[in-house]
C-alpha cells in the first residue's frame, strides 16, 4: 500500500485512465446545466446524463473525471460516521457504448492493486444476485476466490424509467478493530470494517414505465470511487476526516474554539461538521450559489447555519467561518484553482451571512430553549408546527436545525403543521402581491387556433381574432369599456424578462382602442389590454395598429444599456457578478446583481465611463437565433433562473456583450445617447441594485443637476466652475468661527463657574453651588457642572438651564457630600417636580427635565432647601 496525499491520489487516478484512452475532463460546476431535475450535482455521472440516455453525443466514448458533489440527504450523519459528507469528490471513469464489464473490472482491479498497492487478500467483491457475467469475470479473469464474491439483491442501480443495470462494489477489509465485534459481521454490515471504495455500474438495460427491462444496444459503464474514502485507507486514518483533505480545517477550528480533537465525542462531531460544511460552502459559493431561502441558496444557507450552530456548541460566539476558506482554497489549489482566485469574494459572502445569522440566532435559541422547557414540564415531546414556523419565518431557523436541536432532547417537530403554516404564509404573500392590474379574467381560449397567431415587429394591420370583456368573449366592444384583444398578427411586444410591454392604439372602421398593456400567456399567445376610446370594435374586422414608437425606443435604449452595464460590472467588480433581476421601462432601468458590498462612488464613475465609451464607439447591436449549444460556444450569458427552449435569441454588442434575451434593443449603441447612474443600494443577501437612465432621461438628469449647480453658485455668489473652491473657503471660515465661538464659550463658562463658586452656600463642611446658567442642551449643562464640582472641594452642585421651552436640571455631589447624606437623585427629583417634570438618578449624579421653564428659579430654590435638609 502506497501512502499518498489526496491530490496525489486524484492525479494518479486521472492519469491512469488517461493511459487507457480516456478523455480527462475538469469537474463540472455544482449547478446542473440544463437539468431541472437536479438541484445540485450529487454524483460523477450526473453531468453526463444526456450521454447515457443517448440525447447527446459525448466528445469521446471514454471519459474520466474527479467530480465535485454535494448531497444533503444524510446531513444528520455528517460528523457522526467515518465517511458521511455534504461535499465530496467522486473519481469516475465512464464508457458510452464502448468498453463494458470485462475492461471496467480489470482496470479497477489494476488501479487498486498495482497503482496504489492495496492488499489483494483484503479486497472483497459484491455483485447482483443474477449477474453471473460479472461473477465469472471476477472469479476466472481476476482470480478472486469465490468466498470473497458476495451476491447482494441491492446491487442494482436505477432511478425510475430509463438506463439502469446491476453494479459491482469493491470493499476493503480494514480489520476486526474497525468492526462491530459481532460474530456475523461481514460485507454489507453497517460498521466500518468493510469499507466500500469502488462502485462499478453496468448500464445494460432500459426500463420502461411498466417496469420491463430491455437490453440496451449500446451498454455503458459508470464508475464511482470516493476520493476521501480511498485517501483514508492509503493514509491509514480511522475516518475520512483525519485525511489531509479535511484535517487541516479541524485543527484550525479546534484552535479557535480552544479545544482538543479526540478528547470529547461531542466536540469531535462539531469539529467534523464544521470542516465538512466549510468545504461545501466554499465550493458552492465559488460556483455561483448565494445564500437564500429557496433552492440551492437554501441548501447553502442551511449548511452555513448548521456550521455556526456547531461552533456555538463549542463556545465560539463570534463569526469564525470565513478564515477557513483560506485553508480550503489551499487544499484545493491544484484541482480547483478558481477557489484561490475568488476566495476574498467567498469570504465576504460567508462573513456577511454569518454576521446576519448571529444577530438572530441567540434570540431564536433562547426562544426554542423556552419551548423545550415548556414541553418538558408538560411531559410532551412534539413542538407544534406553528411555533416551528415562527422560528423559521422570524428568526431564520431552518426547520431542519430546529428538528436537530429538538432531537438532542428526544423531541421532534410537527412537520405537517410546519408545512401547513408555510403554505398559509405563502398564500398570504401571494394575495398581498396581487394588484388591480393583474386581476385579468382570461376568457375561454380552448377554441382559439393559437398556432396561427404570430408576432411581427413591423406589422401595421391585423384582424381582431378575439375580443373579451370581464372574462367573456364578445362580438363587439364599445366606447369606455375595458377590453382584452387578441390579434392574428401583433407588433406589440409583450411584457417579459424584466421589460415592460408595448402600448399604442388599435383603430377599426368604427372605433379606436388605447392599448395600455401587452402580455403573454404561458403558451406564448400575446394579448393586449386596453380601453375603447371612440365608437366600437367588432370581432373579425381588420384594424390598423400603432405602437408608441417613442416609448418603445426609450425602452430599447434602457434594455440594451442593461446588457452594457452587466458586462461593465463584470469588468469593474469581477466575474462573480451575475444578473439577479431587472426592470426595463421607458423612463429608467433597474438592474439587480450578485455582489457582497456597496459599489463605491469611484466604481460607479468607472462603470459610467465604460458604458458611455461603448455608446460613443457606435458598436453594432446584432440579434441572431440559434441553438443553446451554439450560443454557449459563442460565450453568450444565460440568465440564472430563466427558462430557454432549444432555439434561443442572442443579443450581441460586438465583442463587448453577448446575452440570451428576447427583449427589444437598439440597432447601434450610439442610439442610447448617454448613460447615467441614478442610485446604488443593497436589496438582499449579496444582491445590489443599480438604477440608471439613458437617452432623454439622462439628458434631463444632466439638466436638473446643472440647474441645481447654477442655483448653488448663485447662492454662493460665484461661477459654477468655482463652486468647489468657494465651498472650501466657506468651510474653512466656518471652522475658524467655530474655534472662536469655542474660545468665547470657554471664557463665558469660566466666568459663570467663577460666579457660582464665589456665591457658594456653606452648610457645615460642605458647599452648595446653585444657579441658572446658559446651556444649549444637557451635555453642555453637565460640562458646566463638572467644572463647578472640581472647584468647590467637598459639596454639591445644583444647576438649571432653559432650552427649547423646557428646563433641564443637573445635580452632582462629591464623595464626601454623599457620605454626609447628600443624594443627588432625590434633589433633582424635587426640582423637576416643581417645574412640571420628573427624573432622578444616583446619589452622586442625577439629571431631570421640566415642562415649565418659567418655574426654573423656584425649582432651584427648592432644590437647595432639599440639599440643606439632607446634610447630617
Amino acid at each position: 500500500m502506497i501512502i499518498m496525499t489526496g491530490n496525489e491520489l486524484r492525479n494518479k487516478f486521472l492519469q491512469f485512465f488517461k493511459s487507457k484512452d480516456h478523455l480527462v475532463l475538469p469537474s463540472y460546476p455544482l449547478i446542473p446545466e440544463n437539468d431541472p431535475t437536479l438541484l445540485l450535482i450529487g454524483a460523477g455521472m450526473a453531468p453526463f446524463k444526456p450521454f447515457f440516455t443517448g440525447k447527446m453525443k459525448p466528445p469521446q466514448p471514454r471519459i474520466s473525471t474527479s467530480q465535485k458533489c454535494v448531497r444533503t440527504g444524510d446531513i444528520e450523519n455528517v460528523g457522526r460516521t467515518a465517511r458521511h459528507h455534504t461535499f465530496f469528490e467522486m473519481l469516475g471513469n465512464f464508457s458510452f457504448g464502448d468498453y463494458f464489464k470485462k475492461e471496467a473490472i480489470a482496470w479497477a482491479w489494476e488501479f487498486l492493486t498495482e497503482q496504489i498497492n492495496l492488499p489483494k487478500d483484503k479486497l472483497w467483491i459484491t455483485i447482483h444476485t443474477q449477474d453471473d457475467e460479472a461473477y465469472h469475470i471476477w472469479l476466472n479473469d481476476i482470480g478472486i476466490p469465490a468466498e470473497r464474491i458476495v451476491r447482494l439483491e441491492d446491487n442494482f442501480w436505477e432511478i425510475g424509467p430509463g438506463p439502469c443495470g446491476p453494479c459491482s462494489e469493491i470493499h476493503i477489509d480494514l480489520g476486526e478493530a474497525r468492526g462491530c465485534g459481532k460474530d456475523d459481521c461481514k460485507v454489507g454490515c453497517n460498521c466500518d470494517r468493510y469499507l466500500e471504495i469502488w462502485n462499478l455500474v453496468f448500464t445494460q438495460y432500459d426500463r420502461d414505465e411498466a417496469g420491463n427491462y430491455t437490453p440496451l444496444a449500446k451498454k455503458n459503464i459508470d464508475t464511482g470511487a470516493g476520493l476521501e474514502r480511498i485517501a483514508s485507507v492509503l493514509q491509514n486514518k480511522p475516518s475520512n476526516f483525519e485525511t489531509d483533505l479535511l484535517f487541516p480545517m479541524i485543527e484550525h477550528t479546534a484552535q479557535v474554539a480552544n479545544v482538543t480533537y479526540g478528547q470529547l465525542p461531542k466536540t469531535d462531531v462539531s469539529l467534523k461538521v464544521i470542516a465538512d460544511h466549510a468545504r461545501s460552502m466554499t465550493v458552492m459559493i465559488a460556483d455561483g450559489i448565494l445564500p437564500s431561502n429557496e433552492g440551492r441558496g437554501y441548501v447553502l444557507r442551511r449548511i452555513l447555519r448548521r456550521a455556526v450552530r456547531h461552533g456555538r456548541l463549542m463556545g465560539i460566539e463570534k463569526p469564525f467561518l470565513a478564515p477557513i476558506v483560506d485553508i480550503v482554497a489551499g487544499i484545493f489549489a491544484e484541482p480547483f484553482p478558481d477557489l484561490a482566485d475568488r476566495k476574498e469574494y467567498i469570504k465576504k459572502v460567508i462573513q456577511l451571512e454569518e454576521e446576519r445569522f448571529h444577530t438572530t440566532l441567540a434570540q431564536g435559541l433562547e426562544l426554542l430553549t423556552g419551548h423545550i422547557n415548556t414541553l418538558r414540564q408538560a411531559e410532551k415531546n412534539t413542538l407544534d408546527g406553528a411555533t416551528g414556523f415562527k422560528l423559521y419565518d422570524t428568526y431564520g431557523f431552518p426547520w431542519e436545525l430546529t428538528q436537530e436541536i429538538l432531537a438532542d432532547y428526544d423531541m421532534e417537530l410537527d412537520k405537517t403543521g410546519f408545512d401547513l403554516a408555510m403554505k398559509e404564509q405563502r398564500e398570504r404573500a401571494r394575495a398581498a402581491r396581487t394588484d388591480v392590474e393583474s386581476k385579468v379574467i382570461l376568457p375561454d381560449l380552448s377554441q382559439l387556433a393559437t398556432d396561427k397567431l404570430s408576432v411581427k415587429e413591423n406589422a401595421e394591420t391585423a384582424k381582431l381574432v378575439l375580443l373579451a370583456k370581464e372574462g367573456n368573449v364578445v362580438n363587439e366592444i364599445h366606447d369606455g369599456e375595458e377590453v382584452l384583444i387578441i390579434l392574428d398578427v401583433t407588433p406589440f411586444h409583450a411584457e417579459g424578462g424584466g421589460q415592460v410591454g408595448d402600448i399604442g392604439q388599435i383603430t377599426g372602421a368604427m372605433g379606436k382602442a388605447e392599448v395600455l398593456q401587452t402580455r403573454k400567456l404561458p403558451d406564448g399567445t400575446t394579448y393586449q389590454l386596453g380601453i375603447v376610446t371612440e365608437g366600437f370594435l367588432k370581432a373579425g374586422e381588420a384594424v390598423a395598429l400603432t405602437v408608441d414608437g417613442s416609448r418603445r425606443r426609450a425602452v430599447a435604449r434602457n434594455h440594451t444599456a442593461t446588457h452594457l452595464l452587466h458586462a461593465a460590472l463584470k469588468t469593474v467588480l469581477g466575474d462573480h457578478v451575475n444578473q439577479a433581476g431587472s426592470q426595463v421601462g421607458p423612463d429608467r432601468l433597474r438592474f439587480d446583481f450578485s455582489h457582497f458590498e456597496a459599489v463605491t462612488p469611484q466604481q460607479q464613475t468607472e462603470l459610467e465611463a465604460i458604458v458611455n465609451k461603448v455608446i460613443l464607439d457606435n458598436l453594432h447591436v446584432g440579434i441572431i437565433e440559434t441553438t443553446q449549444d451554439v450560443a454557449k460556444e459563442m460565450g453568450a450569458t444565460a440568465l440564472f433562473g430563466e427558462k430557454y427552449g432549444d432555439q434561443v435569441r442572442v443579443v450581441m454588442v460586438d465583442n463587448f456583450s453577448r446575452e440570451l434575451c428576447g427583449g427589444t434593443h437598439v440597432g447601434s449603441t450610439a442610439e442610447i445617447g448617454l448613460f447615467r447612474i441614478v442610485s446604488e443600494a443593497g436589496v438582499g443577501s449579496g444582491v445590489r441594485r443599480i438604477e440608471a437612465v439613458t437617452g432623454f432621461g439622462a439628458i434631463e438628469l444632466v439638466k436638473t443637476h446643472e440647474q441645481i449647480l447654477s442655483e448653488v453658485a448663485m447662492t454662493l455668489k460665484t461661477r459654477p466652475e468655482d463652486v468647489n473652491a468657494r465651498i472650501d473657503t466657506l468651510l474653512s471660515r466656518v471652522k475658524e468661527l467655530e474655534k472662536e465661538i469655542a474660545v468665547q464659550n470657554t471664557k463665558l463658562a469660566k466666568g459663570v463657574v467663577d460666579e457660582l463658586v464665589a456665591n457658594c452656600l456653606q452648610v457645615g463642611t460642605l458647599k452648595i453651588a446653585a444657579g441658572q446658567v446658559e446651556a444649549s442642551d444637557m451635555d453642555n449643562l453637565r460640562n458646566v457642572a463638572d467644572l463647578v464640582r472640581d472647584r468647590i472641594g467637598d459639596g454639591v452642585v445644583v444647576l438649571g438651564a432653559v432650552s427649547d421651552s423646557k428646563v433641564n436640571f443637573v445635580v452632582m455631589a462629591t464623595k464626601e457630600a454623599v457620605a454626609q447624606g447628600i443624594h443627588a437623585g432625590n434633589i433633582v427629583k424635587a426640582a423637576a417636580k416643581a417645574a412640571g417634570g420628573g427624573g432622578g438618578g444616583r446619589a452622586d449624579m442625577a439629571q431631570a427635565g421640566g415642562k415649565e421653564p418659567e418655574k426654573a428659579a423656584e425649582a432651584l430654590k427648592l432644590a437647595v432647601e432639599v440639599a440643606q435638609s439632607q446634610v447630617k
Side-chain angles (χ1 to χ4, degrees):
M1 188 165 64
I2 302 174
I3 297 177
M4 287 185 179
T5 67
N7 285 333
E8 289 170 343
L9 173 60
R10 184 191 303 106
N11 289 335
K12 189 82 170 177
F13 178 91
L14 296 175
Q15 290 305 310
F16 173 77
F17 280 99
K18 184 177 182 180
S19 72
K20 304 299 183 184
D21 297 324
H22 286 66
L23 172 65
V24 175
L25 294 176
S27 173
Y28 284 75
L30 287 171
I31 300 176
E33 182 180 10
N34 300 323
D35 190 348
T37 66
L38 293 178
L39 194 64
L40 293 161
I41 294 296
M45 60 77 62
F48 304 127
K49 282 173 65 177
F51 303 153
F52 281 108
T53 59
K55 292 181 179 180
M56 291 179 62
K57 183 180 179 181
Q60 193 166 306
R62 300 180 181 184
I63 290 176
S64 182
T65 62
S66 180
Q67 176 62 44
K68 297 178 287 189
C69 300
V70 168
R71 296 181 189 173
T72 56
D74 295 323
I75 193 171
E76 67 279 355
N77 290 324
V78 173
R80 302 182 187 278
T81 71
R83 53 187 178 270
H84 277 97
H85 301 291
T86 56
F87 172 85
F88 59 94
E89 283 185 79
M90 183 69 76
L91 303 171
N93 60 284
F94 309 95
S95 169
F96 307 106
D98 188 24
Y99 63 84
F100 199 48
K101 291 183 185 180
K102 188 171 184 177
E103 295 87 348
I105 291 173
W107 290 338
W109 187 256
E110 179 183 349
F111 180 81
L112 291 174
T113 61
E114 298 180 21
Q115 296 294 314
I116 60 176
N117 291 358
L118 294 186
K120 296 180 181 179
D121 61 341
K122 295 294 183 182
L123 297 178
W124 288 67
I125 309 302
T126 64
I127 60 172
H128 187 255
T129 52
Q130 300 178 23
D131 194 355
D132 293 335
E133 181 184 2
Y135 175 81
H136 289 299
I137 293 173
W138 282 115
L139 181 70
N140 301 322
D141 295 4
I142 304 302
I144 302 295
E147 61 269 20
R148 293 217 313 272
I149 305 175
V150 181
R151 294 179 183 263
L152 297 175
E153 186 68 32
D154 291 340
N155 275 37
F156 196 93
W157 183 89
E158 62 181 337
I159 305 179
C164 58
C167 59
S168 179
E169 298 170 344
I170 304 175
H171 298 250
I172 186 167
D173 181 0
L174 298 175
E176 292 184 9
R178 297 284 294 276
C180 58
K182 297 178 181 178
D183 293 338
D184 60 347
C185 183
K186 58 184 178 182
V187 174
C189 183
N190 289 328
C191 71
D192 291 332
R193 176 174 177 176
Y194 296 96
L195 178 67
E196 178 204 332
I197 56 175
W198 202 291
N199 186 16
L200 296 141
V201 179
F202 310 124
T203 311
Q204 62 189 80
Y205 300 110
D206 184 19
R207 176 189 164 186
D208 61 21
E209 294 284 354
N212 300 310
Y213 295 89
T214 304
L216 288 169
K218 290 187 176 182
K219 299 176 174 61
N220 306 313
I221 288 293
D222 164 22
T223 287
L227 175 67
E228 291 84 359
R229 292 189 180 196
I230 300 178
S232 73
V233 174
L234 297 181
Q235 295 174 24
N236 195 27
K237 300 297 182 181
S239 80
N240 299 355
F241 292 93
E242 277 83 31
T243 68
D244 66 323
L245 295 169
L246 279 156
F247 199 64
M249 283 90 83
I250 290 177
E251 290 181 306
H252 169 84
T253 308
Q255 187 174 4
V256 172
N258 195 26
V259 297
T260 302
Y261 181 75
Q263 287 190 345
L264 295 173
K266 272 193 170 183
T267 298
D268 288 353
V269 168
S270 292
L271 289 171
K272 291 175 182 178
V273 167
I274 292 168
D276 170 87
H277 289 11
R279 289 203 311 174
S280 294
M281 67 182 76
T282 298
V283 179
M284 290 174 76
I285 295 169
D287 277 358
I289 300 169
L290 289 172
S292 71
N293 284 332
E294 294 181 345
R296 303 177 185 97
Y298 179 71
V299 174
L300 172 59
R301 175 164 283 171
R302 179 189 177 195
I303 287 172
L304 189 150
R305 292 184 171 183
R306 195 169 186 268
V308 171
R309 181 199 168 220
H310 278 276
R312 292 178 70 90
L313 290 176
M314 295 188 295
I316 305 177
E317 298 292 335
K318 296 181 179 179
F320 69 98
L321 291 173
I324 306 179
V325 173
D326 292 325
I327 302 172
V328 178
I331 292 172
F332 288 125
E334 185 178 333
F336 312 131
D338 57 311
L339 295 186
D341 295 339
R342 307 188 69 189
K343 69 179 183 180
E344 293 306 318
Y345 166 71
I346 297 169
K347 289 162 72 173
K348 280 284 187 181
V349 172
I350 291 174
Q351 179 184 344
L352 290 172
E353 179 68 12
E354 190 175 4
E355 289 174 350
R356 185 177 292 111
F357 187 41
H358 268 280
T359 61
T360 58
L361 182 59
Q363 188 176 4
L365 281 172
E366 184 178 345
L367 289 171
L368 181 54
T369 301
H371 292 307
I372 289 171
N373 291 334
T374 301
L375 289 172
R376 275 178 164 176
Q377 293 172 3
E379 297 183 352
K380 296 180 179 179
N381 64 353
T382 302
L383 181 69
D384 66 279
T387 300
F389 178 74
K390 183 177 181 181
L391 287 168
Y392 162 79
D393 194 41
T394 306
Y395 301 102
F397 263 62
W399 68 266
E400 299 92 344
L401 179 56
T402 298
Q403 190 163 263
E404 285 182 22
I405 296 173
L406 289 169
D408 292 341
Y409 296 89
D410 294 324
M411 296 179 179
E412 62 182 0
L413 171 68
D414 174 15
K415 186 58 168 53
T416 302
F418 177 92
D419 291 340
L420 179 61
M422 172 74 82
K423 181 181 179 182
E424 291 174 349
Q425 194 265 4
R426 285 175 174 167
E427 289 175 350
R428 287 194 300 269
R430 190 179 299 114
R433 289 194 300 267
T434 303
D435 56 27
V436 175
E437 188 182 19
S438 63
K439 293 178 181 177
V440 178
I441 304 174
L442 293 175
D444 181 4
L445 305 178
S446 59
Q447 303 303 313
L448 185 65
T450 56
D451 58 322
K452 296 182 179 180
L453 307 179
S454 64
V455 177
K456 294 182 180 179
E457 188 171 317
N458 298 319
E460 296 180 353
T461 59
K463 184 173 74 171
L464 292 176
V465 174
L466 181 142
L467 297 175
K469 174 186 174 183
E470 298 178 354
N472 299 312
V473 176
V474 295
N475 291 322
E476 292 184 2
I477 196 80
H478 294 267
D479 189 6
E481 294 180 327
E482 296 180 354
V483 61
L484 181 149
I485 299 173
I486 294 180
L487 304 164
D488 65 338
V489 56
T490 180
F492 294 93
H493 188 277
E495 176 185 286
Q499 179 178 318
V500 298
D502 277 337
I503 64 174
Q505 291 182 334
I506 296 177
T507 305
M510 303 299 293
K512 182 185 295 183
E514 193 79 20
V515 176
L516 304 176
Q517 182 59 281
T518 303
R519 291 185 175 168
K520 187 180 293 184
L521 297 174
D523 66 357
T525 301
T526 297
Y527 65 93
Q528 287 74 40
L529 297 173
I531 186 169
V532 178
T533 56
E534 294 180 20
F536 64 93
L537 298 175
K538 293 186 65 173
E541 73 170 308
V543 291
L545 310 173
T546 306
V547 175
D548 186 331
S550 176
R551 181 178 181 273
R552 173 185 276 183
R553 288 188 293 273
V555 171
R557 285 192 287 267
N558 283 333
H559 202 154
T560 304
T562 63
H563 288 217
L564 304 186
L565 175 59
H566 192 183
L569 283 164
K570 287 182 175 290
T571 300
V572 175
L573 304 181
D575 286 335
H576 65 271
V577 170
N578 284 300
Q579 182 172 340
S582 69
Q583 185 174 15
V584 181
D587 53 343
R588 66 175 52 203
L589 65 92
R590 188 188 77 198
F591 190 80
D592 297 345
F593 56 97
S594 56
H595 192 51
F596 46 79
E597 59 189 3
V599 182
T600 66
Q602 293 80 4
Q603 289 171 329
Q604 292 182 43
T605 299
E606 188 176 354
L607 289 169
E608 282 189 346
I610 291 173
V611 174
N612 281 314
K613 183 181 184 304
V614 174
I615 291 171
L616 291 173
D617 286 344
N618 192 22
L619 300 182
H620 174 68
V621 180
I623 298 175
I624 64 168
E625 291 191 3
T626 184
T627 64
Q628 282 204 47
D629 290 339
V630 171
K632 184 178 179 181
E633 291 175 4
M634 294 169 57
T637 301
L639 304 184
F640 179 75
E642 287 288 327
K643 295 181 180 179
Y644 302 100
D646 293 333
Q647 287 293 116
V648 294
R649 190 168 178 262
V650 182
V651 178
M652 304 174 295
V653 183
D654 200 54
N655 290 322
F656 183 76
S657 167
R658 294 185 179 186
E659 290 191 20
L660 303 188
C661 181
T664 54
H665 290 272
V666 297
S668 164
T669 58
E671 295 177 37
I672 299 172
L674 179 65
F675 173 85
R676 292 293 300 270
I677 292 175
V678 176
S679 65
E680 190 276 342
V683 292
S685 178
V687 178
R688 308 294 300 180
R689 172 174 294 171
I690 282 179
E691 294 195 16
V693 289
T694 65
F696 294 111
I699 292 172
E700 287 301 316
L701 182 65
V702 171
K703 285 182 178 180
T704 299
H705 288 172
E706 285 182 345
Q707 183 177 350
I708 293 172
L709 180 60
S710 296
E711 291 173 355
V712 170
M714 187 178 299
T715 301
L716 297 177
K717 299 179 180 179
T718 188
R719 298 179 303 173
E721 58 266 32
D722 296 331
V723 164
N724 282 339
R726 179 62 173 157
I727 290 175
D728 289 340
T729 301
L730 290 174
L731 288 176
S732 297
R733 180 56 179 156
V734 168
K735 289 181 180 179
E736 291 174 3
L737 292 173
E738 286 176 343
K739 290 180 181 179
E740 292 179 12
I741 291 171
V743 170
Q744 293 301 319
N745 284 340
T746 301
K747 291 179 180 180
L748 290 171
K750 186 178 182 300
V752 170
V753 171
D754 290 343
E755 183 178 352
L756 288 168
V757 172
N759 296 320
C760 279
L761 178 65
Q762 190 77 35
V763 181
T765 60
L766 301 180
K767 292 180 179 179
I768 299 176
Q772 185 171 330
V773 299
E774 295 291 332
S776 59
D777 53 33
M778 188 65 80
D779 287 339
N780 288 334
L781 187 60
R782 282 197 302 268
N783 291 337
V784 175
D786 282 333
L787 294 173
V788 176
R789 182 189 56 192
D790 294 341
R791 292 273 304 278
I792 64 174
D794 293 331
V796 59
V797 180
V798 181
L799 300 181
V802 175
S803 175
D804 296 331
S805 301
K806 64 181 181 179
V807 59
N808 292 325
F809 298 103
V810 167
V811 179
M812 292 185 179
T814 64
K815 188 175 182 180
E816 178 60 28
V818 173
Q820 292 194 35
I822 292 294
H823 193 289
N826 292 336
I827 296 171
V828 86
K829 184 177 182 180
K833 185 177 181 181
R842 304 190 309 268
D844 61 336
M845 201 285 283
Q847 62 188 44
K851 300 176 182 178
E852 302 173 19
E854 68 275 7
K855 295 183 179 180
E858 180 183 338
L860 287 170
K861 181 180 178 182
L862 177 62
V864 172
E865 292 174 356
V866 173
Q868 286 177 302
S869 67
Q870 288 180 348
V871 179
K872 295 178 181 178

